[in-house]
Amino acid sequence: MNNYKNDNTARRYIAYVSIFGTTQIHLRNPYIIAWWSAAFPGFGHLLLSKYLRGFVLFIWEVVINLKSHVNLAMIYSFQGNIDMAKDVLNTRWLLIYIPVYIFAIWDSYRTTVDLNKIYVLAERENHRFNSFSMGAMEVNYLDKRNPILSVVWSLFMPGLGQLYIHRIIGAFFVIIWAVVFFYYSHLLEGISLLFLGEIKQATSVLDGEWLLFSPSLYGFAIFDSYMNTVENNKLVEREQKNFFEKMYQRPSFCIGKGKYANLFYI
């Protein structure tokens, strides 16, 4: 059952609520989105809810990065072994990596600018959107949630913050890749050995090439869950405001002009 279901009578919509999550457009800083694409291609597009493009770029980053040994070269560079960093790079794969990496940054920036313009137009149209969706597998509805809790759950496990705010598609994707990164980097095994006091063994067991993926994934999960919780809360207030205006505000209500600008007439 959908209340206020989008009926395609407007050119643009601000939000859409489905059983898989709440998708909305809002004003974003293009430079922040571009920065996330630079940190990890695909993240910028996922922040914009451009899932298909984001998934492709994310998987591309993992595969090409491992084939070209970019992360391994970064580790050697951090250690000051510049010659080893040069030797380990696979130029056959590296030359594929560079243009797509630049494209991810440029396209996320361009898309953000376009969506900001669309949001301004959609806000002026102020067309109604659905606030409740029920299906055979899930129920989703607009509701206020605590942004701090989103951050806390994301710290425990990337993806849980997205589950908390019902972003099912993004949550599944982040959780699956978090498990992959944890497994191949041996991060949890290293933490267990660290608690046992086996510092050298904990360090040696880690796979640095896979480990460097984890900080970006953690950072994205925290930022994405926090930002979307805040914006979802704003969306709830907007939907309630529109509902109250339609159901309870008299048609004759107006705001005075001129010297009566601060007076209300009913």
Side-chain angles (χ1 to χ4, degrees), residues 84-99:
M84 293 182 65
K86 292 179 180 179
D87 294 337
V88 78
L89 284 173
N90 188 333
T91 55
R92 290 185 301 173
W93 289 98
L94 185 63
L95 294 179
I96 302 175
Y97 183 89
I98 295 173

Side-chain angles (χ1 to χ4, degrees), residues 171-191:
F172 279 6
F173 187 81
V174 172
I175 289 175
I176 290 172
W177 279 102
V179 172
V180 172
F181 293 160
F182 286 155
Y183 179 81
Y184 285 104
S185 65
H186 302 280
L187 177 61
L188 300 182
E189 185 179 352
I191 293 175

Side-chain angles (χ1 to χ4, degrees), residues 45-182:
H45 292 85
L46 292 178
L47 289 171
L48 298 174
S49 297
K50 307 279 286 186
Y51 290 114
L52 295 180
R53 200 176 306 184
F55 293 162
V56 170
L57 289 171
F58 183 95
I59 296 172
W60 168 88
E61 161 69 16
V62 174
V63 173
I64 305 301
N65 190 307
L66 293 173
K67 292 292 184 180
S68 60
H69 304 296
V70 172
N71 281 354
L72 195 57
M74 290 174 61
I75 294 174
Y76 288 141
S77 297
F78 295 155
Q79 296 173 345
N81 298 322
I82 307 300
D83 292 333
M84 293 182 65
K86 292 179 180 179
D87 294 337
V88 78
L89 284 173
N90 188 333
T91 55
R92 290 185 301 173
W93 289 98
L94 185 63
L95 294 179
I96 302 175
Y97 183 89
I98 295 173
V100 182
Y101 182 83
I102 296 174
F103 169 81
I105 299 173
W106 171 81
D107 188 64
S108 63
Y109 179 91
R110 176 197 63 82
T111 304
T112 306
V113 173
D114 288 345
L115 287 178
N116 285 345
K117 295 177 181 178
I118 292 174
Y119 171 78
V120 173
L121 296 174
E123 186 180 32
R124 292 178 180 177
E125 293 180 13
N126 197 27
H127 193 75
R128 65 184 187 179
F129 51 87
N130 61 321
S131 60
F132 182 89
S133 182
M134 179 182 294
M137 298 180 63
E138 268 290 354
V139 178
N140 186 25
Y141 50 90
L142 290 182
D143 184 31
K144 280 195 170 184
R145 291 178 171 86
N146 191 334
I148 303 302
L149 283 179
S150 298
V151 173
V152 171
W153 284 117
S154 296
L155 287 172
F156 283 139
M157 176 68 184
L160 293 184
Q162 280 76 9
L163 278 181
Y164 170 61
I165 59 175
H166 202 96
R167 291 175 65 84
I168 303 298
I169 298 176
F172 279 6
F173 187 81
V174 172
I175 289 175
I176 290 172
W177 279 102
V179 172
V180 172
F181 293 160
F182 286 155

Side-chain angles (χ1 to χ4, degrees), residues 4-13 16 125 127-128:
Y4 295 126
K5 184 176 181 179
N6 294 352
D7 52 14
N8 292 326
T9 59
R11 296 186 66 189
R12 305 167 186 88
Y13 297 95
Y16 179 71
E125 293 180 13
H127 193 75
R128 65 184 187 179

